[in-house]
Amino acid sequence: MAKVKIEKDRCKGCELCVFYCPLKSLELSSDLNKRGVRAANFKKDAKCSGCGFCFLICADRCIKVEK
Amino acid sequence: MKNEFLPPKSLRDVNTHYCSGCGHGILHRLVAQVIDELGLRERVIGVAPVGCAVLAYNYWDFDVSEAAHGRALAVATGIKRSRPEKIVFTYQGDGDLASIGIAETLHTANRGENLTCVFVNNACYGMTGGQMAPTTMIGQKTTTTPWGRDPAFGEGWPLKVSELLAPLKGVSYLARSSISKPQGVRQTYQYIKKAFINQIEKKGFSMVEVLSPCPTIWKKTPIEAAKWIDQEMVKEFPLGVIKE
């Protein structure tokens, strides 16, 4: 199973990864990061197929997908 | 296919100054990915525009020059002619390439200079605060067209640069794609790679036009901006390979 790693303090909270995740495994976290935005977060115990859509659409190199 | 989705080495590990939902970050990564994959990092010279991407040299870890507004292709011509073994590309926005630099663009394409051009079309002037660009859509509100762009007021129609360059004999490759969704990002990668390979094979001028979201100026959320590209902009600017 693939693993999504998110650098929260880089995230600008555009929410595109949340919108495009086919398994709806991402969400915006409830707390704020250093930039003062709600960063993307991988849901607890959620599934990941490793499609890389979140990596492809992320403009701020926050997301790494490792298989 | 281990570690398939990791940032490329030619992209510096720094935060960008771009707004949330801006397409520049994705496109910087795609260019860096292509350069890494073709092994051009020591041979490539980029030319950055004036516009939001003016600080691109802070984000790319290879040689980048800066050019005056609209003159990136003229500077790139000079670099390529004096150092023909180098791979030279320009990265320009629509205010830069299609408005103030349209003369340089047309003549560089007409001369068939062996260059690669990445053209970022976001239908407005982003950095200066959202004025009308030649590529602004009919009815789109900007600070200089507050009631929407209207050809009846002498504001003209969206300028299709790729179609404009297509009949020129010096142009070898023209393609248009969008980075509003992950599938489009993959397609854009293929187009940019093809444009660089054309330059290595000395085929002539190659340009890839990329429809990119600008949520701040369009006064939309990033998701709305991406949808607006898919629903409205692609009608005016059809995607695909225009000339090969």
Side-chain angles (χ1 to χ4, degrees):
Chain A
M1 190 146 125
K3 213 176 177 184
V4 177
K5 284 184 183 171
I6 300 174
E7 285 185 60
K8 285 195 171 183
D9 286 333
R10 271 179 191 276
C11 182
K12 291 173 182 166
C14 70
E15 218 180 334
L16 285 169
C17 53
V18 177
F19 181 70
Y20 283 116
C21 179
L23 296 175
K24 302 291 166 209
S25 300
L26 295 164
E27 60 180 359
L28 288 191
S29 60
S30 51
D31 53 332
L32 302 179
N33 69 0
K34 266 187 189 171
R35 287 175 178 273
V37 298
R38 291 173 64 197
N41 185 28
F42 194 72
K43 282 181 196 167
K44 209 180 171 187
D45 302 325
K47 282 182 181 172
C48 177
S49 61
C51 67
F53 277 17
C54 50
F55 169 84
L56 290 170
I57 207 69
C58 180
D60 295 287
R61 57 178 295 172
C62 320
I63 299 178
K64 289 174 186 166
V65 183
E66 287 174 357
K67 284 187 183 174
Chain B
M1 293 284 273
K2 214 189 169 194
N3 291 344
E4 197 190 351
F5 300 111
L6 294 175
K9 285 178 181 165
S10 295
L11 197 65
R12 279 196 191 144
D13 192 7
V14 292
N15 291 327
T16 61
H17 69 281
Y18 301 121
C19 308
S20 171
C22 175
H24 273 307
I26 299 172
L27 214 50
H28 283 5
R29 191 188 69 227
L30 290 178
V31 171
Q33 251 175 350
V34 168
I35 285 165
D36 276 3
E37 181 155 330
L38 298 177
L40 300 175
R41 199 172 164 193
E42 300 299 323
R43 280 174 70 197
V44 77
I45 299 175
V47 184
V50 169
C52 284
V54 67
L55 296 173
Y57 46 78
N58 286 338
Y59 307 137
W60 282 324
D61 205 358
F62 46 77
D63 293 338
V64 183
S65 171
E66 180 55 55
H69 199 181
R71 273 73 203 180
L73 278 167
V75 172
T77 302
I79 295 172
K80 184 73 181 179
R81 287 190 178 190
S82 55
R83 301 290 298 274
E85 77 281 6
K86 297 284 182 191
I87 302 296
V88 185
F89 78 95
T90 67
Y91 182 102
Q92 295 175 272
D94 53 349
D96 192 72
L97 182 140
S99 178
I100 193 164
I102 191 73
E104 281 76 6
T105 309
L106 272 173
H107 288 292
T108 308
N110 193 33
R111 290 195 305 266
E113 299 287 346
N114 192 21
L115 296 168
T116 304
C117 176
V118 181
F119 169 35
V120 189
N121 182 354
N122 63 2
C124 64
Y125 276 77
M127 186 181 75
T128 50
Q131 290 82 2
M132 188 191 88
T135 46
T136 296
M137 302 279 290
I138 299 291
Q140 187 186 339
K141 287 181 182 173
T142 64
T143 54
T144 44
T145 55
W147 298 281
R149 185 178 191 175
D150 188 354
F153 288 138
E155 284 155 355
W157 286 265
L159 183 62
K160 300 176 182 180
V161 181
S162 295
E163 280 84 351
L164 181 72
L165 299 183
L168 302 179
K169 281 188 179 169
V171 180
S172 74
Y173 184 69
L174 289 169
R176 189 188 281 125
S177 67
S178 100
I179 47 172
S180 58
K181 49 187 174 185
Q183 296 86 341
V185 176
R186 282 220 169 101
Q187 188 67 66
T188 309
Y189 174 77
Q190 298 299 335
Y191 289 159
I192 295 177
K193 192 174 169 186
K194 175 81 176 136
F196 272 91
I197 289 172
N198 273 358
Q199 187 179 159
I200 296 169
E201 293 171 353
K202 299 184 178 167
K203 284 189 177 167
F205 187 80
S206 312
M207 189 176 88
V208 181
E209 178 175 347
V210 184
L211 305 183
S212 169
C214 184
T216 306
I217 299 298
W218 295 354
K219 313 257 187 302
K220 289 177 167 57
T221 67
I223 293 171
E224 285 168 1
K227 282 182 181 168
W228 191 73
I229 289 184
D230 292 338
Q231 289 162 6
E232 301 295 328
M233 255 181 108
V234 293
K235 286 182 197 163
E236 193 66 45
F237 299 103
L239 307 180
V241 177
I242 293 158
K243 187 178 183 183
E244 193 167 3

